[in-house]
Amino acid sequence: MAEKKEYKVIGTRPIRHDGVDKVTGRALYGADFQMTGLLHGRVLRSPHAHARIVSIDTSRAEAYPGVKGVVTAQDLPEAEDRVADLGEGAVNLKYLCDNILASDKVLYTGHAVAAVAATSPHIAEEACKLIDVEYEVLPPVMEVRQAMEADAPLLHENLKTTSMGETAEEPSNVASHIQHKLGDPDKGFAEADIVVERDFVTGTVHQGYIEPHNATAHFNQDGQLTIWCSTQGAFTVREQVAEILQYPISKIKVVPMEIGGGFGGKISVYIKPVAAMLAKKTGKPVKVLMSRSDVFEGTGPTPASYIRVKMGATKEGKITAAEAYLAFEAGAYPGSPVGPGAMCIFAPYSIENLVIDGYDVVVNKPKTAPYRAPGAPNAAFGSETVLDEIAEELGIDPLEIRLLNGAKEGDRRADGPVHPRIGFIETVETAKAHPHYTAPNGKKHHGRGVASGYWFNIGLESSVTINVNADGTINLVEGSTDIGGTRSSIAMQAAEVLGIPAESVNPSVVDTNSVGYTAVTGGSRTTYATGYAAYEAAQDVKRKMITRAAKLWEVDEDNVQFADGEFSCINGKEEQISFRDLCGRLGQTGGPVVGSGTVNPGGAGGAYATHIVDVVVDEETGKVDILRYTAVQDAGKAIHPSYVEGQIQGGAVQGIGWALNEEYIYNDEGTMTNASFLDYRMPTCLDLPMIDAVIVEVPNPGHPYGVRGVGEVPIVPPMAAIANAIYDAIGIRMTELPMSPDRLLKAMGKI
Amino acid sequence: MARKSHVQTTINGETVEFLCESRQSLLEVLRDELYLTGAKEGCNNGNCGACSVILDGRLVNSCLVLGVETEGRSVETIEGLAEPDKLHPIQDAFLENAALQCGICTPGFIMSAKALLDSNPNPTEHEIRYWLAGNLCRCTGYDKIVKAVMDAAQETSA
Amino acid sequence: MQDFSYVSAQTVSEAVSLLDENGEKARILAGGTDLIVQVREARRDVGLMIDVKSIPEVNVLDYDDDAGLTLGAAVECYKIYAVDAICNAYPGLIDATKIIGGTAIQGRAGVGGNLCNASPAADCIPPLIVLGATCVIAGPNGERELPVEHFCTGPGQTALEKGEMLVSLKIPAPASNSSSFYLRFIPRNEMDIAVVGAGASVTLDAAKQTIVSARIALAAVAPTPLFAEEASELLAGREVSDAAIDEAAQAAQAIARPISDMRGTAEQRTHLVGVLTRRALNGAIQRI
Ligand SMILES: Cc1cc2nc3c(=O)[nH]c(=O)nc-3n(C[C@H](O)[C@H](O)[C@H](O)COP(=O)(O)OP(=O)(O)OC[C@H]3O[C@@H](n4cnc5c(N)ncnc54)[C@H](O)[C@@H]3O)c2cc1C
Ligand code: FES
Ligand code: FES
């Protein structure tokens, strides 16, 4: 349905609607919320990675001047082993509650144990130190392979492995095992002329959003709970808080403030229920803010993993079989993204015979949370490195081998679905023709690498309402929090339908009482699905306006046509009226016009990316510098190209950080020793060149304008691309992330 | 209870008086006492630049300045940058270049860029990257931020 | 953050008597980029912060071709590298002042604070050592001077006695045919703490062939920054050559006693001492 078309608004680069507020400091983010009588909350966190809580005595804290209330897990409703459905699949309610405030055991350093509300944040912090917690310290399990061993200490006495529908007898740290299989892998490997197999290890990394989590909660006397916070999804906050506090959703209003980054990390709630509990206990509004170390230690990073990849190919470079073993650290409670990792790992290629095994394993680290294409980057680091090695051994250009095996419409993904129209081949062809790829690359210690990646993107529910103004503008009401310019990319789709400029749309992101259900800003779905809802809402407006024009001209609706912002009469009368002028006449023709659109689309098109990177390696220090970076990606249709480029550049740079330096470093007791921006070492602008983002447009048949999600896939290729470039520079295959200077020195035999 | 001191300072050209505890940083004073929430807290220990302000003409991290230290001094914050009817050229350049995504780092970057262009109106790309290295952005990959500052430099020095 | 009092001292004697009266719980506040962070993270217990930035003596920044440099203990980094004559005379110190934190940190942080914080990884201390700096210390019993290499006694610990403060640093004027260099290894390019740091100063003969004297100092490889005395001495009288520089680098490696922590491993640090010592010496020589 969507083919290449000429658009008026789509594909242009208007100034974003919330831009002025954000460059003047006027935009209000979660922590900026102020209210008279506000108390300040602070969370006491576990100093141990694994311990049983013997007792908690809060009396000294409660007696401290300025303290108004203290809560612990005792204040949470009893959480039976019930399963809560939060829209993204079933979640064990006890796990959910225990992650908010630990009841019987602490499972990671930084695990929340109690919280205090006081008249100032400093007093709340001091009072936390007066809470006496007695722990019985247990041995921590910090690494996935160690956790899978038969005699490993157990985190949960009653967690049993589920494997393909069967549940094991004995408890284990392995929560689940999944498998995807196509064809006959043994036969495929037998047909191969070359087989390469390697092990990979990746570290725990954090989304690293600059704004720490925040929440302000207030209970009215009538039991109405309001929460002001920054979140990727106000409705999911409402659901989670309702489940955790066992409180009706109809009595909870969540007001999404501006949000300072999320990348998947601001979907799960941490301090929002705590703020609500403190507000309940004190009868006052309570604001709880996390510190940066709270964020590192107490919120979900994306998992460390152990991965084994084996691929076989013919002399000509045709992949005959592939096998992957993925073991992901879930953190303290089950739920790592090993599932999506297993779905994405070989998805760029058409492979007849393959088998993928995935394991979700608990360890004494924070419960993991999504991070941009969760699971796929870990997986691609393995598969894209092995493919590079095969290409190299066979003497085939690495982009050529991708073209040879690239997945196309009609090919089957390992986990079952058949690809609709996808743009993988186009990304590879574009990369191959790019001046970066054809530029000379011969200097000593310089290397070039490429890698590709896949992310499926999601649809889910979105709602949009449009109120038409008398001056020809529209107010667009939506529920998707805007983390990177989506007010504009959504508004532009409505503007396109109505033939009005982007500036004639006033988008607002509103609270859960004021718009229909809208799923999270995540899964690269916002411009796709909420944009789709805006398209539908605008179509609704258009239909209603046609009725009004018909009424005005006293003709049948069928005789009114709308094109380029003009209504005209196509039969008999020579009437014409612009959208704007008709807006001025709504009163006469029946009153205000409100359009609405709701969607739950199933056609989120998968996104592919192919990246090229040049590096230089300092052989004496092991340091890798990025010299040039080009990221090619299929966006389906770029609604606002600047913000598509921004997503690509930002994702690529997060991948560069993951590749080179970012990781949680733990001491022997299982405590993170680098829980600050200084020592976690995310890239600064001095560590980077310009990032050339190249947009390819292969329209997604599942969206009226061809949109595919763009936010996540750019983080998938960088790690392997950089590893391949390092190999090109110094002839050594790096198989452990991050590829930090000390690891390079070791691999080069210098230390 | 901690005692408060009276402080008189100049903020964005206006004389301002406030009471604060010694342990309250300039960032806390701006945000919690004066409701100037444009400066953000990203780390509270000097590592992210989200709290950048200009103190007596020099760029500082307001989370590493005590409120009481500002007695008799002059502070410029993001709220003071635009004119009533016109944005500062750096603000315009950030909008034109789509140099922000979530925007939490933006006030800090703009203040930092202003301090740079005040002292070096024609910086090279490398000089811009060096100067802005204390400001973290996790969304943009910095590409468009650096371009925005280059554009703003052209605009202001032209 | 714990509660504390704040005083802006106006004279050295006022600061000294406040320090003397309040003992351990009183700390001098210069730029605060270490102190405020440490108190906030409860790594230091402080009841009184004595702001010294209004005291004239700690704000002196005075360079003279003959007398050398007097650097007040609270002078911020950015003021130091703004003076061309100082940049020309002590490039090794300037290397350090330009890499502490980022530009915003350099707006507050000073060399004096860097020294008094006594971090083994402090970037300014190796250049101060190689430039032969002297600490001017005021205390209840008057003033005394101490060579900078004797100032740090352990991580976060200094030779300052009860009631004493650092007033300024004195660096002799550079000899002719001499220069200095400081570099560190960090995984990022800025905003990072040295995994290893190395500073060197070198004086050559008039023909620029022979090393008259050299000083080498290291950061982040021992509980305090180290003056690599033997490595320095073995260069005196040697021709400028890779062999001589390699020997010095090996001698420097021999005194390194690094630990492994989140910033780097012991093996990596020992290896880097060799690499950086060579680079620092070559860098200083190239600047002559
Ligand atoms: C984000 C960030 C990055 C940093 N990066 C670096 C880096 O790259 N390299 C590096 O070396 N350091 C770095 N630091 C540490 C710090 O900035 C430096 O050590 C700085 O030079 C300290 O100077 P200051 O004036 O801020 O000291 P302050 O914090 O004011 O003082 C430091 C200590 O010295 C004491 N003190 C200060 N002056 C005197 C005096 N006159 N007499 C007696 N005692 C005194 C104080 O009581 C305190 O204990 C960084 C810090 C931050 C926050
Ligand atoms: S909040 Fe001040 S530098 Fe991060
Ligand atoms: S725009 Fe989000 S951190 Fe910079």
Side-chain angles (χ1 to χ4, degrees):
Chain A
M1 99 189 195
E3 71 246 18
K4 289 225 166 182
K5 281 197 217 121
E6 286 297 309
Y7 296 113
K8 284 231 162 63
V9 179
I10 285 174
T12 64
R13 301 175 187 241
I15 300 290
R16 62 191 277 173
H17 296 79
D18 52 346
V20 173
D21 280 347
K22 285 181 177 165
V23 298
T24 54
R26 211 182 312 124
L28 292 177
Y29 291 74
D32 303 339
F33 184 76
Q34 301 285 358
M35 194 176 193
T36 41
L38 199 60
L39 297 179
H40 299 268
R42 205 55 221 168
V43 175
L44 174 71
R45 297 178 180 278
S46 165
H48 305 294
H50 194 188
R52 210 173 295 287
I53 298 174
V54 180
S55 65
I56 304 179
D57 181 353
T58 59
S59 53
R60 286 199 302 145
E62 275 157 31
Y64 193 66
V67 171
K68 302 292 177 188
V70 181
V71 294
T72 66
Q74 297 282 317
D75 298 277
L76 279 168
E78 187 70 35
E80 329 89 270
D81 248 342
R82 216 161 57 76
V83 166
D85 189 3
L86 296 174
E88 302 154 60
V91 183
N92 178 307
L93 190 61
K94 173 150 167 44
Y95 292 162
L96 199 64
C97 290
D98 277 354
N99 201 33
I100 300 301
L101 284 170
S103 60
D104 43 1
K105 267 176 115 181
V106 287
L107 294 171
Y108 52 96
T109 305
H111 198 156
V113 173
V116 177
T119 49
S120 95
H122 295 284
I123 294 175
E125 185 190 320
E126 287 172 309
C128 279
K129 300 202 177 105
L130 300 176
I131 298 174
D132 301 301
V133 187
E134 195 188 325
Y135 295 101
E136 177 197 334
V137 178
L138 303 168
V141 188
M142 301 305 296
E143 197 269 332
V144 64
R145 281 166 294 174
Q146 182 207 352
M148 292 173 85
E149 280 167 14
D151 56 354
L154 292 176
L155 273 73
H156 305 281
E157 280 83 4
N158 47 14
L159 180 67
K160 292 170 184 160
T161 312
T162 56
S163 175
M164 340 277 280
E166 307 270 316
T167 303
E169 296 287 318
E170 294 299 315
S172 157
N173 290 322
V174 181
S176 62
H177 164 229
I178 50 171
Q179 189 180 70
H180 301 300
K181 199 169 175 191
L182 281 185
D184 183 346
D186 288 341
K187 181 171 145 276
F189 281 115
E191 285 164 10
D193 297 311
I194 174 176
V195 174
V196 172
E197 180 172 7
R198 276 192 185 272
D199 290 16
F200 299 88
V201 173
T202 75
T204 302
V205 296
H206 199 271
Q207 299 84 357
Y209 35 78
I210 305 300
E211 178 205 40
H213 291 250
N214 54 72
T216 305
H218 180 56
F219 266 97
N220 259 351
Q221 280 69 8
D222 61 2
Q224 276 293 334
L225 167 62
T226 307
I227 300 175
W228 297 264
C229 59
S230 44
T231 171
Q232 290 181 242
F235 286 91
T236 180
V237 171
R238 187 177 74 170
E239 284 158 352
Q240 292 176 72
V241 170
E243 286 290 352
I244 290 161
L245 302 183
Q246 293 293 300
Y247 207 65
I249 57 167
S250 58
K251 284 187 165 285
I252 304 173
K253 175 165 93 176
V254 178
V255 186
M257 307 292 288
E258 296 303 333
I259 169 172
F263 313 108
K266 287 186 186 152
I267 297 173
S268 292
V269 299
Y270 302 98
I271 50 178
K272 288 156 188 133
V274 175
M277 291 163 74
L278 288 169
K280 175 101 189 155
K281 196 145 203 171
T282 60
K284 292 263 171 53
V286 180
K287 184 196 261 189
V288 185
L289 302 181
M290 282 197 189
S291 69
R292 180 51 50 185
S293 57
D294 289 346
V295 173
F296 276 117
E297 297 191 306
T299 71
T302 207
S305 54
Y306 167 75
I307 292 166
R308 204 164 54 234
V309 176
K310 181 174 162 189
M311 292 172 89
T314 64
K315 284 200 290 293
E316 295 72 34
K318 183 79 201 143
I319 305 169
T320 56
E323 188 183 295
Y325 171 99
L326 310 168
F328 278 36
E329 292 177 0
Y333 303 98
S336 77
V338 70
M343 286 152 80
C344 293
I345 182 161
F346 297 120
Y349 309 106
S350 166
I351 305 174
E352 272 173 37
N353 309 299
L354 46 77
V355 57
I356 302 163
D357 285 288
Y359 296 86
D360 183 36
V361 184
V362 294
V363 296
N364 291 110
K365 295 184 182 177
K367 157 126 177 54
T368 55
Y371 176 24
R372 232 173 181 147
N378 310 46
F381 175 55
S383 53
E384 291 293 300
T385 303
V386 167
L387 185 62
D388 196 73
E389 192 167 348
I390 290 179
E392 200 244 335
E393 298 254 328
L394 295 175
I396 301 176
D397 174 277
L399 290 180
E400 203 53 57
I401 203 166
R402 286 171 170 81
L403 285 176
L404 193 65
N405 294 285
K408 299 181 200 63
E409 183 173 357
D411 287 340
R412 183 174 291 282
R413 222 165 67 191
D415 53 315
V418 173
H419 288 296
R421 180 75 172 94
I422 48 175
F424 176 55
I425 297 290
E426 285 80 353
T427 68
V428 182
E429 282 170 344
T430 306
K432 217 173 151 215
H434 193 279
H436 180 174
Y437 199 64
T438 51
N441 159 43
K443 280 203 232 156
K444 198 164 173 235
H445 304 153
H446 285 228
R448 177 169 300 156
V450 298
S452 297
Y454 170 74
W455 178 251
F456 40 80
N457 297 327
I458 58 172
L460 301 180
E461 309 93 323
S462 278
S463 313
V464 166
T465 312
I466 293 176
N467 300 300
V468 179
N469 296 319
D471 63 353
T473 63
I474 59 171
N475 296 339
L476 188 152
V477 180
E478 46 154 317
S480 288
T481 41
D482 182 350
I483 319 186
T486 53
R487 278 184 182 84
S488 297
S489 65
I490 291 163
M492 288 167 76
Q493 297 181 51
E496 186 71 45
V497 172
L498 298 176
I500 57 177
E503 293 75 15
S504 292
V505 184
N506 305 319
S508 25
V509 178
V510 298
D511 63 63
T512 52
N513 283 8
S514 312
V515 67
Y517 186 90
T518 299
V520 295
T521 295
S524 303
R525 61 174 296 280
T526 306
T527 298
Y528 168 70
T530 308
Y532 204 151
Y535 170 89
E536 291 294 353
Q539 292 289 350
D540 193 27
V541 167
K542 185 170 112 184
R543 278 191 298 274
K544 288 174 174 160
M545 296 288 278
I546 284 174
T547 311
R548 300 307 175 88
K551 200 161 177 187
L552 202 62
W553 298 329
E554 297 174 337
V555 297
D556 211 57
E557 280 169 27
D558 297 347
N559 292 336
V560 180
Q561 137 185 314
F562 180 69
D564 293 338
E566 295 277 335
F567 295 90
S568 52
C569 198
I570 46 173
N571 211 348
K573 298 191 181 176
E574 282 285 302
E575 299 279 9
Q576 200 163 339
I577 187 167
S578 67
F579 177 80
R580 185 195 163 104
D581 289 344
L582 185 57
C583 288
R585 304 183 64 173
L586 296 182
Q588 291 157 256
T589 53
V593 164
V594 176
S596 70
T598 59
V599 297
N600 186 359
Y608 285 90
T610 299
H611 292 191
I612 314 167
V613 59
D614 289 1
V615 302
V616 57
V617 180
D618 182 334
E619 276 206 288
E620 283 191 322
T621 65
K623 183 165 161 177
V624 177
D625 270 303
I626 306 291
L627 299 173
R628 185 169 181 184
Y629 204 101
T630 304
V632 184
Q633 185 175 321
D634 174 19
K637 177 72 208 167
I639 300 289
H640 191 310
S642 298
Y643 288 97
V644 173
E645 289 158 7
Q647 288 294 321
I648 296 173
Q649 291 162 336
V653 166
Q654 285 183 319
I656 291 170
W658 193 340
L660 294 182
N661 284 309
E662 292 179 34
E663 68 177 313
Y664 277 43
I665 300 171
Y666 284 95
N667 65 15
D668 292 343
E669 285 77 50
T671 294
M672 184 182 182
T673 55
N674 63 331
S676 73
F677 274 150
L678 189 62
D679 291 319
Y680 179 72
R681 294 171 174 150
M682 308 194 311
T684 75
C685 60
L686 195 60
D687 302 318
L688 298 161
M690 293 293 181
I691 307 292
D692 191 359
V694 181
I695 301 172
V696 170
E697 294 186 324
V698 177
N700 169 22
H703 183 279
Y705 295 127
V707 170
R708 295 175 193 276
V710 297
E712 293 174 286
V713 74
I715 203 173
V716 183
M719 287 66 90
I722 293 169
N724 295 338
I726 292 173
Y727 175 77
D728 190 41
I730 59 169
I732 292 171
R733 290 267 170 215
M734 295 301 293
T735 56
E736 194 170 338
L737 293 181
M739 298 175 279
S740 48
D742 57 319
R743 291 205 175 92
L744 254 80
L745 283 179
K746 245 189 224 127
M748 289 187 289
K750 302 263 162 123
I751 56 173
Chain B
M1 283 271 196
R3 280 231 310 277
K4 292 194 174 191
S5 315
H6 173 267
V7 177
Q8 180 171 325
T9 186
T10 303
I11 298 182
N12 299 326
E14 304 276 340
T15 304
V16 174
E17 293 176 76
F18 57 83
L19 294 178
C20 76
E21 296 177 16
S22 305
R23 61 183 163 181
Q24 282 181 291
S25 65
L26 173 58
L27 178 64
E28 285 173 77
V29 168
L30 290 172
R31 294 177 52 80
D32 296 341
E33 307 298 328
L34 304 173
Y35 291 5
L36 289 167
T37 55
K40 306 297 180 192
E41 178 188 316
C43 67
N44 214 16
N45 60 7
N47 287 307
C48 76
C51 65
S52 302
V53 302
I54 296 176
L55 178 64
D56 288 346
R58 176 69 204 186
L59 183 72
V60 297
N61 303 111
S62 62
C63 69
L64 293 187
V65 176
L66 301 178
V68 287
E69 283 186 81
T70 63
E71 173 69 39
R73 305 181 72 179
S74 168
V75 183
E76 289 168 66
T77 72
I78 186 74
E79 286 89 349
L81 210 55
E83 314 214 357
D85 55 351
K86 196 158 102 260
L87 294 177
H88 186 280
I90 300 173
Q91 293 171 317
D92 271 327
F94 268 64
L95 291 182
E96 296 284 345
N97 283 276
L100 57 148
Q101 284 176 33
C102 77
I104 196 87
C105 67
T106 309
F109 268 101
I110 291 176
M111 293 312 286
S112 191
K114 169 157 195 301
L116 167 63
L117 299 185
D118 285 350
S119 63
N120 177 2
N122 275 307
T124 61
E125 181 188 332
H126 181 80
E127 285 169 337
I128 293 172
R129 289 185 182 276
Y130 167 75
W131 185 278
L132 297 178
N135 292 79
L136 291 176
C137 173
R138 192 59 158 172
C139 299
T140 63
Y142 306 103
D143 183 293
K144 292 180 190 297
I145 293 177
V146 173
K147 287 181 179 142
V149 178
M150 286 157 85
D151 276 8
Q154 281 227 313
E155 186 67 27
T156 48
S157 64
Chain C
M1 191 178 194
Q2 76 180 131
D3 188 26
F4 55 83
S5 305
Y6 167 89
V7 177
S8 174
Q10 302 300 310
T11 62
V12 170
S13 60
E14 182 190 354
V16 165
S17 44
L18 281 168
L19 278 173
D20 203 29
E21 284 156 26
N22 290 279
E24 288 277 284
K25 291 202 100 182
R27 289 299 298 184
I28 301 281
L29 174 71
T33 58
D34 280 315
L35 186 63
I36 294 174
V37 174
Q38 288 163 7
V39 177
R40 189 171 283 148
E41 293 173 356
R43 286 189 279 136
R44 249 194 213 284
D45 179 14
V46 172
L48 172 67
M49 283 198 196
I50 306 165
D51 187 345
V52 293
K53 292 189 289 294
S54 303
I55 301 175
E57 289 89 330
V58 302
N59 283 308
V60 174
L61 181 62
D62 190 11
Y63 176 72
D64 179 288
D65 279 342
D66 298 321
L69 178 68
T70 305
L71 173 58
V75 176
E76 299 88 344
C77 289
Y78 80 97
K79 287 187 185 149
I80 305 170
Y81 56 67
V83 181
D84 287 343
I86 300 177
C87 296
N88 293 333
Y90 312 107
L93 181 62
I94 299 306
D95 291 334
T97 55
K98 284 188 169 172
I99 56 178
I100 289 195
T103 41
I105 295 288
Q106 290 154 24
R108 293 266 293 169
V111 175
N114 195 240
L115 175 63
C116 292
N117 187 58
S119 157
D123 285 312
C124 291
I125 304 180
L128 288 173
I129 294 175
V130 302
L131 291 168
T134 309
C135 308
V136 180
I137 297 167
N141 305 320
E143 249 183 38
R144 66 178 175 117
E145 296 197 357
L146 184 73
V148 86
E149 56 266 38
H150 298 138
F151 187 80
C152 298
T153 55
Q157 299 195 328
T158 68
L160 291 177
E161 305 277 342
K162 181 162 183 269
E164 282 189 328
M165 66 173 278
L166 180 73
V167 178
S168 58
L169 290 153
K170 287 205 282 196
I171 308 183
S176 47
N177 293 322
S178 76
S179 196
S180 57
F181 198 94
Y182 174 76
L183 83 169
R184 63 180 180 185
F185 179 75
I186 52 172
R188 293 194 284 186
N189 289 321
E190 259 290 342
M191 296 303 288
D192 220 331
I193 301 298
V195 176
V196 172
S201 67
V202 179
T203 305
L204 299 181
D205 66 349
K208 299 192 182 176
Q209 299 292 320
T210 307
I211 298 171
V212 176
S213 67
R215 283 169 77 89
I216 300 164
L218 306 171
V221 293
T224 65
L226 289 183
F227 174 35
E229 219 167 336
E230 268 175 50
S232 306
E233 276 164 13
L234 68 79
L235 286 170
R238 299 281 299 266
E239 294 256 314
V240 174
S241 68
D242 287 346
I245 286 170
D246 282 346
E247 259 180 66
Q250 277 166 23
Q253 272 178 307
I255 61 161
R257 318 185 291 278
I259 54 163
S260 291
D261 64 10
M262 71 282 189
R263 300 200 173 117
T265 64
E267 309 81 71
Q268 177 191 16
R269 286 185 158 122
T270 305
H271 168 80
L272 287 172
V273 169
V275 176
L276 297 195
T277 302
R278 278 195 296 275
R279 291 184 183 182
L281 285 166
N282 281 321
I285 290 167
Q286 265 159 33
R287 278 176 174 167
I288 295 171

